[in-house]
Amino acid sequence: MKTNNKFYTLLLISILLVGASFTSCQKEEISPYVREPEVVLTDEIDIWFYDNFLKPYNCVVRWKWDDTFVDTKYYVSPPKRDVMIPVGEMILKYWMDPFVIQGGQEFIKEHFPPEIVCVGSQLLNADGTLTMGYAEAGVRITLTDLNSFDIKNTRWVVEQLRVIHHEFTHIIHQKHGLPEGYELVTKENYIGNAWVNLETEQAIALGMISPYGSSDQYEDFCELVSLYLTIAKDEFNRTYLTYANPDDGLNEGRALIMRKLELAAEYYSSNFGIDLNELRNSIQDRIRNK
């Protein structure tokens, strides 16, 4: 399904984790982002994204369908008009504004992707996993399942934000590398594609925040940051950090997770002046008070 509206701005995509046990990032090659020439905008949605994304942050949000931005192996649907501005407002509130408060406008201007591609439906892989979204070379983020938009559904919002912050963390490490020594903490415990066979408790025992995080050090880092920011503080501490269950056999793994979290916090503080704990508090406050 194609249109000729290739110049229009678009917005963000994410996958709600429904109907599959695991999710993953897509790592396929894509064509580099090339900005189209300026045009006169008449559509109210295009104008809104121009005012809120393109003009202040030089970010094109692609919401009018163009199938050159999604691999043809997927059967997907375009996003609906009526969800686009609300999704844009969600991005501003739960992604951009908390980082602006912590890191400043310049941080967002430097790191925000120049292109966001929006897909209405999910992307189902042949192995039964779902592609949550993907970041490519720090210039494009693609997120899916926007037609399920429901800001009153906390689970849906948290899943969306998990995708958003996971993919944004990819952009951060693509530009700046991983925290020094991060990959060494659990170097022997990364298992590649075998992550699909893990349960959460098994991943924690390996020192990973999630089964998918055990695939490699980059997904580990992105999962750590995104789950830290989006899971309620008490739940996160109880599951991953506290020693409330001394006989459950997971405390060695929890200690490794804690060490990696310390490295991540130092990384954000020393590189960007961002307090990861305060960033988490800001996002969590917005989730609770949406």
Side-chain angles (χ1 to χ4, degrees):
M1 180 174 176
K2 287 188 178 181
T3 72
N4 292 321
N5 299 304
K6 298 177 68 175
F7 50 82
Y8 281 79
T9 53
L10 274 83
L11 160 64
L12 162 71
I13 323 173
S14 83
I15 266 207
L16 178 62
L17 310 181
V18 175
S21 299
F22 304 101
T23 57
S24 61
C25 296
Q26 186 187 59
K27 296 184 175 66
E28 297 174 0
E29 294 291 330
I30 64 167
S31 57
Y33 165 67
V34 178
R35 184 171 177 175
E36 291 84 356
E38 297 289 338
V39 297
V40 176
L41 302 177
T42 58
D43 188 297
E44 62 178 344
I45 298 176
D46 293 325
I47 293 170
W48 191 90
F49 282 118
Y50 176 84
D51 290 340
N52 290 279
F53 284 79
L54 184 58
K55 186 176 180 181
Y57 300 111
N58 199 32
C59 175
V60 173
V61 180
R62 301 188 181 280
W63 66 275
K64 289 184 177 177
W65 191 246
D66 184 334
D67 60 12
T68 62
F69 296 108
V70 179
D71 194 290
T72 56
K73 69 181 179 182
Y74 297 115
Y75 291 94
V76 296
S77 301
K80 299 175 182 176
R81 286 184 59 89
D82 61 355
V83 305
M84 292 316 306
I85 291 178
V87 169
E89 292 170 340
M90 182 182 75
I91 292 171
L92 294 175
K93 180 177 180 179
Y94 297 103
W95 177 5
M96 298 171 75
D97 288 351
F99 271 105
V100 168
I101 292 170
Q102 279 294 308
Q105 287 279 353
E106 290 307 311
F107 173 83
I108 284 293
K109 287 181 179 178
E110 179 181 352
H111 297 94
F112 204 71
E115 188 173 38
I116 294 174
V117 178
C118 301
V119 174
S121 59
Q122 301 176 347
L123 302 182
L124 180 64
N125 299 307
D127 61 3
T129 64
L130 294 174
T131 294
M132 298 161 54
Y134 43 98
E136 298 291 341
V139 298
R140 179 185 297 169
I141 282 183
T142 298
L143 297 167
T144 62
D145 200 32
L146 292 183
N147 290 342
S148 297
F149 179 86
D150 183 359
I151 201 65
K152 295 181 180 180
N153 184 334
T154 298
R155 179 179 176 183
W156 185 88
V157 171
V158 169
E159 294 294 355
Q160 294 285 334
L161 296 180
R162 177 176 173 179
V163 172
I164 288 170
H165 289 291
H166 180 107
E167 300 308 331
F168 190 51
T169 307
H170 272 305
I171 287 179
I172 299 300
H173 79 67
Q174 287 165 0
K175 287 179 177 287
H176 300 279
L178 292 172
E180 185 175 356
Y182 184 93
E183 70 278 10
L184 301 178
V185 177
T186 51
K187 181 179 179 181
E188 305 301 324
N189 293 347
Y190 295 118
I191 58 176
N193 291 334
W195 71 268
V196 298
N197 299 315
L198 286 188
E199 301 292 339
T200 298
E201 291 77 11
Q202 294 172 307
I204 294 173
L206 293 173
M208 311 297 173
I209 202 79
S210 71
Y212 187 49
S214 68
S215 59
D216 62 41
Q217 64 267 34
Y218 303 108
E219 301 304 340
D220 179 21
F221 181 55
C222 294
E223 284 286 273
L224 179 71
V225 173
S226 65
L227 268 68
Y228 180 75
L229 295 179
T230 59
I231 293 178
K233 181 177 180 179
D234 289 346
E235 179 185 351
F236 186 94
N237 291 347
R238 183 172 60 251
T239 304
Y240 300 108
L241 299 183
T242 62
Y243 289 71
N245 301 301
D247 298 323
D248 68 359
L250 303 181
N251 288 336
E252 252 186 74
R254 290 189 179 110
L256 296 172
I257 291 172
M258 186 63 198
R259 176 56 184 152
K260 288 189 286 191
L261 186 57
E262 291 170 349
L263 291 173
E266 170 59 26
Y267 173 85
Y268 275 87
S269 177
S270 61
N271 283 293
F272 316 117
I274 291 174
D275 185 320
L276 206 59
N277 185 58
E278 289 301 316
L279 180 64
R280 188 258 298 269
N281 291 342
S282 178
I283 293 170
Q284 290 291 322
D285 285 345
R286 291 160 191 254
I287 292 172
R288 287 192 300 269
N289 299 308
K290 66 182 184 303

